[in-house]
Amino acid sequence: MDKKGIEVLKDKRISKSTAFNADEKEKLGLRGLLPYAISSQDKQKQRVIENIRRKESSIEKYIFLSALQDRNERLYYKTIMDYIPELLPIIYTPTVGEVCQQFSHIYRIDKGFYITPEDKGDIALLLDNWPEQDVRVIVVTDGSRILGLGDLGCNGMGIPIGKLSLYTAGGGIKPEYCLPVMLDMGTDNENLLEEIMYLGYPHKRLKGDEYDELIEEFITSVQEKFPKALIQFEDFLTPNAYKILNKYQGRVLCFNDDIQGTAAVALAGVYSALRITKQVFTDQKIMFLGAGSAATGIADLMVKALLKEGLSESEALLKLWFVDIQGLVVKTSTELMPHNKPYAHDHEPMGFIDAIKDIRPTILIGASGAKGVFNAEVIQLMSSINERPVIFALSNPTSNAECTAEEAYTLSKGKAVFASGSPFDPVTLDGKTYVPGQGNNVYIFPGVGLGAIAVEALQLPDSAFMIAATELARQIHQSDLDQGTVYPRLTNLRTISFEIAVSVANHLYELGLTRLEKPKNLRTYIKNMMYDPTY
Ligand code: NAD
């Protein structure tokens, strides 16, 4: 039965609030329930943005937007899409980090799906409780390594919720297709376990076989209930992130954004940087600071890109060097994790500065979460070795960046090609303005996701991320490169995601990894799939 009266206004998917016209008010039984004046969606959007700008703290802005999402979904997405550069830092990093830290305190409306060890054996049944029948994208975390903030347990739910908002706003994936999941396996964060307000499963984390079994049950239950769904793993502790990805990548449609999404966005940034430095990729020597999931994921994709350019595997590996907390990662390093081993070269151990002097990298990529480690000495050294050093400080949030944009440009006297993980303002130096690019994964995952679900993909191989990186780099205009920016404007995110989706979809057809027969006009097919929140 069609909804009437207050039920219409309570339904976030159909409510237009003050935008219902006189006819609709009459037909839907809304007379008296709304003020007299009728606002256009644009006027409502204006009202929303005025309200947001009036709020002093980012977290208050987040709470306001989150409440709007629950009241009027189309207005929420319309506002985000039209103000993406301003609102991205609110609905995602850095604000979402603070949101997760305070999740149990600011919790208001139920969004998303929670699974705990007590649900073992029942996960498939539980999924029947989700109101949507055709889920196409699931973002799942176990909360064990939220951004650079560590184990936040169930409070990490802010991440899947935020990411899925971006799938819709950036990639045009319908909100009803999206399912945020918290695999709440407990937490080893003592503060949370002692906290009265904590909403999660109040026990130490599940480990070993029990952990693996719950993941397995989750994956098989999703396959059973939502067979077309893409599963995005997010913010798992690095060893588990790799273990899960390696186990399931060839079996189900899934990927890990921290590993593969980050890799694609960084590779695209490097491709663009080389357009500025006018060098070729195979001539580069790349040094990573931090040998965790982000940096290793980038390196793994770079190896594949170098192989495609004709290098042998051993030649490709020798282009890539890692420095972690113990210094240069070498064959004799102790406690090497499996994902580090291919990059542990035959070399004497040494510290970061000596490693730069000795290896003479052309590109330096920070993914360590260690604030300020790209200090004056590092930046000046890179500038003395290279005419145009490429320096990416990818650690989030802004306060954890290896260096600021200002430091990179000033200390290199404008020579550095800089990008960061979190946003920095433009910097003016000797009359020239440099606009730092933000290597945000949002450039990649919505487009890859859209492409994958459009063709009902069976799997997402690494090569799809190489395709996405190449397409992203293609979307950068010369005018952006002239300002030192290695990423395109966020205001073009829908177009960028669409182009990535088309390239990824074509690639998946070439590989025979699709369930859907190829539509006559793939571009039109994908365009028509994209959610439009306009009333
Ligand atoms: P991780 O915990 O898996 O890895 C971090 C690594 O850095 C660890 O191996 C740690 O030992 C090392 N490390 C810490 N301090 C160091 C120091 N002073 N010197 C050398 N190494 C040090 O985390 P991750 O998932 O790889 O993420 C790392 C950072 O990258 C985070 O800040 C995250 O926000 C950021 N990141 C950025 C993007 C992006 O820009 N698109 C994407 C993903 C992650």
Side-chain angles (χ1 to χ4, degrees), residues 145 238 262 289-294 324-325 367-370 394-396 421 439 441:
R145 201 235 41 172
T238 302
T262 304
L289 189 85
S293 51
D324 204 74
I325 202 106
S368 62
L394 295 185
S395 289
N396 295 314
N441 294 23

Side-chain angles (χ1 to χ4, degrees), residues 222-385:
V222 165
Q223 293 285 290
E224 202 179 299
K225 174 85 182 144
F226 306 120
K228 294 180 187 170
L230 163 68
I231 303 174
Q232 180 192 314
F233 301 109
E234 182 74 32
D235 285 1
F236 283 73
L237 214 55
T238 302
N240 286 335
Y242 273 100
K243 200 165 85 176
I244 294 170
L245 183 64
N246 292 338
K247 182 166 174 191
Y248 294 105
Q249 192 180 15
R251 206 174 109 185
V252 300
L253 178 60
C254 68
F255 76 103
N256 181 304
D257 189 53
D258 306 300
I259 300 172
Q260 295 159 290
T262 304
V265 89
L267 181 61
V270 166
Y271 283 154
S272 308
L274 297 178
R275 279 170 68 187
I276 297 176
T277 63
K278 303 200 173 17
Q279 291 174 350
V280 291
F281 187 43
T282 45
D283 287 345
Q284 304 308 304
K285 233 181 218 179
I286 301 163
M287 182 173 282
F288 295 91
L289 189 85
S293 51
T296 315
I298 300 170
D300 290 349
L301 194 65
M302 285 180 170
V303 169
K304 294 196 167 82
L306 289 165
L307 293 180
K308 211 173 154 213
E309 302 228 3
L311 263 57
S312 69
E313 187 167 12
S314 55
E315 285 169 335
L317 287 170
L318 272 172
K319 302 271 175 201
L320 305 158
W321 293 78
F322 281 80
V323 175
D324 204 74
I325 202 106
Q326 323 272 13
L328 188 65
V329 173
V330 293
K331 272 220 163 77
T332 52
S333 301
T334 49
E335 293 171 29
L336 279 180
M337 290 214 250
H339 58 268
N340 299 136
K341 286 197 174 139
Y343 306 100
H345 301 306
D346 211 352
H347 197 282
E348 60 177 304
M350 54 179 61
F352 182 34
I353 295 289
D354 285 336
I356 298 179
K357 287 183 187 157
D358 198 55
I359 288 148
R360 299 176 66 81
T362 54
I363 298 174
L364 189 57
I365 297 179
S368 62
K371 175 189 164 71
V373 280
F374 292 173
N375 55 22
E377 190 180 6
V378 170
I379 296 169
Q380 283 159 356
L381 197 52
M382 282 297 288
S383 312
S384 69
I385 297 171

Side-chain angles (χ1 to χ4, degrees), residues 172-237:
I173 292 175
K174 290 180 192 159
E176 55 267 39
Y177 280 172
C178 300
L179 171 60
V181 176
M182 161 52 64
L183 274 179
D184 181 2
M185 317 259 213
T187 177
D188 290 341
N189 181 331
E190 295 293 340
N191 292 336
L192 289 181
L193 288 173
E194 281 165 22
E195 211 200 284
I196 288 170
M197 289 288 190
Y198 182 56
L199 286 165
Y201 181 68
H203 300 280
K204 287 274 189 193
R205 277 192 176 276
L206 221 58
K207 301 213 166 70
D209 289 349
E210 285 182 313
Y211 178 92
D212 297 344
E213 281 162 24
L214 208 66
I215 299 273
E216 173 71 23
E217 186 187 334
F218 169 67
I219 303 276
T220 46
S221 304
V222 165
Q223 293 285 290
E224 202 179 299
K225 174 85 182 144
F226 306 120
K228 294 180 187 170
L230 163 68
I231 303 174
Q232 180 192 314
F233 301 109
E234 182 74 32
D235 285 1
F236 283 73
L237 214 55

Side-chain angles (χ1 to χ4, degrees), residues 272-273 275-278 388 405 409 414-419 424-429 431-438 476-490:
S272 308
R275 279 170 68 187
I276 297 176
T277 63
K278 303 200 173 17
R388 300 292 311 267
Y409 294 125
K415 285 161 84 181
V417 180
F418 175 80
F424 280 105
D425 288 335
V427 176
T428 303
L429 190 71
K432 181 168 164 64
T433 299
Y434 301 85
V435 183
Q438 189 197 348
I476 299 161
H477 302 303
Q478 188 57 45
S479 56
D480 297 324
L481 296 174
D482 291 343
Q483 293 185 309
T485 311
V486 297
Y487 292 105
R489 278 154 214 238
L490 268 176

